[in-house]
Amino acid sequence: MKRTNTFAVRPLSDDGEHLLRDLLDASAALWNEVNYQRLMRYNDEDGFEGDVWDADTGRLEGQYKGVLGASTAQQVIRTNSEAWRGFFQLKEQYHDDSNTSVTEHPEPPGFRGNEEEGRQLKTVIRNTSYTVEWGERSRLEILVGSELKDRYDHTGRLRLEIAGDPNWPDYDKQGRLDLWYDETDNTFRASQPVTISDDARATPLADETAALDVGANNLVACTTTTGQQYLYDGRDLFDRFRETTREIARLQSKLEDGQYSSERIRRLYRKRTRRRDHAQEALCRDLVERLYEDGMDTVYIGGLTDVLETHWSVDTNAKTHNFWAFKQFTERLACTAEEYGISVEVRSEAWTSQECPQCGSTDRTTRHQDTLTCPCGFEGHADITASETFLERHTSEAVRPMARPVRFEWDDHTWSESPRSPARDSPKEQRTDPSTVYRDGNVASGDSQAV
Ligand SMILES: [Zn+2]
């Protein structure tokens, strides 16, 4: 099984931090130079592939190996080559009429920022040029070039402290390491692909089932056959995603004629994506660990219920899909679940989030904000109810009595339990229970139309 350890790293001193920044910046500069040489040849020859590989990367390698070390210089160039090969492959598929998987004309590999506005600090380290030591005080050690070593009177092996525990500390083989500076939260991060043996996979503790309802306001509402209910609140994330999107649009409207983007715009896109990916990955991990401990062996995913409501415009839906990246999320979830031996089933068949669990009516219910109400007297949290109905549809076992739902909020690092957990389904007279009321009005459905 191939898996990836991702973790934050911290330099051990100011000098260490300067050295690391120099290393990442020089890697980005090398990437840009190689990419520029290739792009020039590509444009000169009307997109003929052959010339791209004529760029004199040997000279550039010689120029940068003093700072980066020969192996990292080569690795950066190789990674750029892979990006170009990937691009040509996509282009071929795009021009192949029998292949419908690529619908947009692909773009050649981009640049990692520029010197003036700042480069995107990022490098890639060959698998034999770094070591990771897992333990109480986990350490990452990477080789640096002789020029950097002299500049900082350094040993030539940069030691970095690793924060947090890896998901996969026991592996057979390590791949090349990606190392970058995350502007979103001013943290250096690394991702380490590893190969682990298949028997490292966990076995489910029981054969329980969970059903997830995926949306934009509540990212995930979940009900399990053991009677647990979880709700991951996505409002803040979604709001920030929309804010960034608006800022991108504002900057785009100020671009001069003939200019399509700027480094600032690209940086905002990166920031937006990274923030979402980080929250999504953490959500998958948090949820799957809970489900594993609750004894799940199967998880059903459905949705996006609050997104596909009819009053949402096509445009809004597109933007929401962009935010949630449903396919990416399910893949991520399936991948995380696989580690625990839990299988994931995606069910996209039309099923309604508007069904009343009490009387079965679908056309008499009303959804206002997060609350689903029915003339029969039912009132409950719409997304949690939807996940409950969804679960009942996919399991023959009796669902155990429900505990009080637990709500989680994202604070940029972890999902933690919120004191404002929604109440259980309740008859109408209990409607004044303050815990069923969301923070004031800013989540009104009218607001969601303004996405
Ligand atoms: Zn009803």
Side-chain angles (χ1 to χ4, degrees):
M1 257 197 306
K2 296 218 183 296
R3 285 294 173 262
T4 305
N5 285 322
T6 53
F7 43 86
V9 293
R10 280 192 289 260
L12 299 167
S13 65
D14 285 352
D15 257 11
E17 170 153 5
H18 290 138
L19 194 152
L20 176 58
R21 283 180 180 274
D22 286 358
L23 180 82
L24 298 181
D25 188 54
S27 301
L30 171 57
W31 169 283
N32 284 352
E33 287 207 47
V34 173
N35 204 49
Y36 178 72
Q37 296 288 333
R38 289 178 168 163
L39 190 64
M40 238 172 33
R41 283 171 173 74
Y42 175 75
N43 289 338
D44 275 359
E45 294 291 323
D46 287 334
F48 179 60
E49 173 173 354
D51 283 3
V52 163
W53 308 115
D54 291 344
D56 189 0
T57 55
R59 184 183 60 80
L60 291 168
E61 182 190 321
Q63 199 180 317
Y64 279 88
K65 73 178 179 197
V67 175
L68 298 176
S71 79
T72 298
Q74 288 160 11
Q75 197 63 63
V76 169
I77 294 169
R78 199 169 299 161
T79 310
N80 182 267
S81 307
E82 284 166 20
W84 276 93
R85 270 196 292 275
F87 161 65
F88 287 123
Q89 209 177 344
L90 280 181
K91 209 176 139 183
E92 206 168 285
Q93 292 171 2
Y94 174 76
H95 289 294
D96 175 0
D97 289 338
S98 65
N99 189 326
T100 53
S101 62
V102 183
T103 52
E104 267 176 67
H105 196 286
E107 292 286 324
F111 292 94
R112 299 202 162 147
N114 58 47
E115 198 172 357
E116 209 173 287
E117 297 176 72
R119 279 182 284 251
Q120 196 187 341
L121 300 178
K122 186 173 165 64
T123 194
V124 51
I125 313 281
R126 183 184 296 172
N127 63 342
T128 50
S129 302
Y130 74 93
T131 52
V132 181
E133 211 181 290
W134 299 114
E136 291 252 320
R137 289 148 60 89
S138 298
R139 292 280 189 271
L140 167 67
E141 217 174 78
I142 54 180
L143 292 175
V144 304
S146 55
E147 274 174 42
L148 274 187
K149 175 173 171 260
D150 296 343
R151 193 182 302 168
Y152 293 101
D153 191 19
H154 197 263
T155 59
R157 296 187 73 90
L158 173 62
R159 278 168 77 81
L160 302 163
E161 184 187 344
I162 294 177
D165 293 323
N167 296 318
W168 302 103
D170 302 312
Y171 42 82
D172 299 336
K173 248 171 43 191
Q174 66 180 17
R176 66 178 188 207
L177 183 88
D178 279 318
L179 187 59
W180 71 97
Y181 182 67
D182 188 340
E183 298 153 14
T184 320
D185 57 359
N186 307 319
T187 306
F188 294 100
R189 294 190 185 282
S191 88
Q192 177 201 31
V194 294
T195 310
I196 56 167
S197 65
D198 283 343
D199 49 4
R201 192 184 317 200
T203 330
L205 302 173
D207 56 358
E208 304 288 346
T209 306
L212 313 186
D213 178 64
V214 177
N217 284 331
N218 295 302
L219 297 180
V220 168
C222 168
T223 301
T224 72
T225 45
T226 55
Q228 301 296 322
Q229 293 191 311
Y230 304 122
L231 189 67
Y232 290 81
D233 189 331
R235 277 177 184 81
D236 288 349
L237 271 167
F238 194 32
D239 284 349
R240 287 168 72 189
F241 188 88
R242 279 157 42 174
E243 253 168 54
T244 313
T245 305
R246 271 195 289 265
E247 178 63 7
I248 289 171
R250 192 185 68 80
L251 291 172
Q252 275 166 341
S253 70
K254 293 195 163 175
L255 289 171
E256 286 162 28
D257 279 352
Q259 208 192 343
Y260 296 103
S261 193
S262 70
E263 185 47 36
R264 231 175 119 197
I265 292 174
R266 279 189 291 270
R267 193 171 296 187
L268 282 174
Y269 271 121
R270 285 200 298 271
K271 199 169 171 170
R272 198 182 70 170
T273 304
R274 249 177 262 159
R275 199 189 280 144
R276 179 202 59 204
D277 287 356
H278 185 196
Q280 230 178 48
E281 195 178 304
L283 193 162
C284 289
R285 178 82 32 204
D286 189 85
L287 176 63
V288 168
E289 278 173 8
R290 273 171 214 285
L291 296 180
Y292 177 75
E293 277 158 28
D294 291 348
M296 301 307 125
D297 73 348
T298 310
V299 175
Y300 288 94
I301 306 184
L304 311 141
T305 54
D306 61 343
V307 179
L308 302 178
E309 279 167 43
T310 44
H311 69 268
W312 285 59
S313 70
V314 173
D315 189 39
T316 304
N317 274 332
K319 280 178 184 158
T320 312
H321 278 288
N322 198 1
F323 164 66
W324 189 231
F326 184 68
K327 190 158 169 270
Q328 178 190 303
F329 171 72
T330 50
E331 274 164 14
R332 205 182 286 252
L333 192 80
C335 208
T336 314
E338 190 195 357
E339 295 170 11
Y340 292 84
I342 300 174
S343 63
V344 168
E345 313 271 342
V346 179
R347 288 287 180 272
S348 54
E349 79 257 35
W351 63 281
T352 173
S353 62
Q354 302 269 350
E355 182 176 319
C356 171
Q358 203 162 282
C359 70
S361 165
T362 49
D363 50 1
R364 294 192 304 157
T365 54
T366 330
R367 183 182 175 149
H368 178 64
Q369 296 182 20
D370 274 337
T371 308
L372 188 74
T373 43
C374 181
C376 77
F378 175 83
E379 175 173 322
H381 188 286
D383 293 331
I384 289 185
T385 303
S387 71
E388 215 173 308
T389 312
F390 186 34
L391 178 67
E392 274 160 8
R393 249 178 231 195
H394 284 286
T395 182
S396 47
E397 333 160 34
V399 177
R400 259 168 265 171
M402 295 295 162
R404 189 185 172 83
V406 184
R407 176 197 296 276
F408 301 98
E409 284 175 336
W410 177 244
D411 68 357
D412 273 350
H413 298 285
T414 46
W415 288 96
S416 45
E417 204 173 321
S418 151
R420 291 177 293 109
S421 288
R424 286 282 311 130
D425 306 342
S426 57
K428 263 188 177 151
E429 54 270 25
Q430 283 173 28
R431 191 174 183 176
T432 45
D433 179 346
S435 61
T436 61
V437 180
Y438 267 114
R439 66 192 92 145
D440 30 52
N442 64 349
V443 296
S445 52
D447 179 57
S448 33
Q449 282 177 302
V451 173

